[in-house]
Amino acid sequence: MCCEPRLEGCVGLGTCNSDSFVLPHDGVSPFHGTNPMAFAAPVPEEQPLLIDMATSAIPWNRVQDLKLRDLPMAAGCLGK
């Protein structure tokens, strides 16, 4: 979706909000979401610039993936 405008020489930006999963620094309860965003832009004579990211240190899909594979989270990532 966000990457399609780069095919036409345009810039694309996609954002969305998410539920509160993320603890603020030294927080005790979730306050904000991972709020993912994606960006695409053409680069002359090169591959397009593509960015797809969460605004949290650990994206929610990584948390879900670790849980699914029964792997531990890094120390301190799940709050106090």
Side-chain angles (χ1 to χ4, degrees):
M1 294 209 277
C2 184
C3 297
E4 295 304 315
R6 58 109 178 141
L7 298 174
E8 302 296 327
C10 299
V11 171
L13 175 66
T15 63
C16 73
N17 65 331
S18 69
D19 293 333
S20 297
F21 297 121
V22 180
L23 296 174
H25 181 69
D26 281 339
V28 293
S29 63
F31 181 73
H32 57 85
T34 58
N35 305 321
M37 64 177 72
F39 176 80
V43 177
E45 309 299 322
E46 299 287 335
Q47 291 291 320
L49 171 66
L50 303 172
I51 299 171
D52 184 359
M53 60 178 272
T55 57
S56 61
I58 300 171
W60 181 243
N61 65 337
R62 184 170 303 149
V63 173
Q64 295 294 83
D65 182 53
L66 291 172
K67 181 179 177 182
L68 180 68
R69 296 189 295 150
D70 199 27
L71 296 172
M73 288 287 296
C77 289
L78 297 177
K80 297 177 181 180

